[in-house]
Amino acid sequence: VDDLHSGPGAASSAGAGGAEVADSEARHVGQAFAEAASDAARLRVSEALQRLSETSKQEQGKKKQAEKKVAQAPKGADLEVRHYVHQVLSDDLDDKVKAMLGELVRFQERAKERDPLKYQKQKRFCVGMREARRSVARGKAKGIICAPNLEECSAEGGLDDTVEDLIEACRDAEVPVIFALSRNRIGKALGKNIRLSIVCILSAEGVH
């Protein structure tokens, strides 16, 4: 009986079983390779994302440094400084002049509220070329704040000549002339939305 079961049919069955085992092993090996490939792909994507994140952080850092450099640049660096300016311009000087003008505005407004009738006699400052020249001529000017970027007008009797005449009159009267801020920033320092070129200081008492 045993010899009957071990004939050609048994051999055929054994061969089929071996083929199934081989196919199963091949599928397992293929699945393993597929999983490994998938893991490698995910790793590459993860590395790519990490590199992108690092690059983005570096770009943001460079941008912040650039913005910081711009913020630290002198505020008057882009001004077209005129020939009549005879001093060094600086942010520190601009800040001090701005603070002083702000205090003078506060004092002047307070005096106006207390006694409107005496306000004109208690003015701390006046603005404009004409008022400044008049105050210097009358000996009332204590100092002149002049924007370093006045409009150019080289015609005879124009703005250039007027500014130079004012500066010369101040030298003769020993009135200091300070070049600071700009036309736009002087106006803002005085709480006005207009450009102002010259401020004549009549009294700086109480401003420190």
Side-chain angles (χ1 to χ4, degrees), residues 59-186:
E59 291 298 327
Q60 289 179 359
K62 291 179 181 179
K63 184 177 180 181
K64 288 182 180 180
Q65 289 179 355
E67 291 175 350
K68 186 176 180 181
K69 288 181 180 180
V70 171
Q72 291 176 345
K75 297 174 183 176
D78 59 344
L79 289 180
E80 184 179 351
V81 179
R82 299 299 314 284
H83 67 280
Y84 53 78
V85 178
H86 55 259
Q87 69 173 57
V88 176
L89 305 177
S90 70
D91 288 345
D92 183 55
L93 177 62
D94 286 352
D95 291 339
K96 290 178 179 179
V97 171
K98 180 181 177 181
M100 181 191 69
L101 293 178
E103 285 294 288
L104 291 177
V105 170
R106 187 170 65 87
F107 291 157
Q108 189 154 293
E109 291 298 322
R110 186 174 62 185
K112 186 176 181 179
E113 291 176 358
R114 287 180 177 178
D115 194 339
L117 296 178
K118 293 182 180 181
Y119 161 70
Q120 293 295 331
K121 296 181 180 180
Q122 296 177 346
K123 274 189 174 184
R124 292 302 193 101
F125 63 89
C126 60
V127 298
M129 187 74 67
R130 183 178 300 175
E131 291 295 325
R133 293 182 64 180
R134 185 180 301 170
S135 298
V136 172
R138 293 177 178 178
K140 294 183 177 181
K142 299 297 186 293
I144 299 290
I145 306 297
C146 182
N149 64 329
L150 296 186
E151 293 180 354
E152 183 176 358
C153 183
S154 57
E156 185 176 355
L159 185 58
D160 287 359
D161 289 344
T162 304
V163 173
E164 291 173 358
D165 289 345
L166 175 61
I167 293 174
E168 188 65 29
C170 288
R171 286 174 181 168
D172 293 340
E174 297 184 350
V175 175
V177 179
I178 300 172
F179 299 94
L181 301 173
S182 65
R183 290 182 297 156
N184 189 41
R185 294 177 66 196
I186 288 177

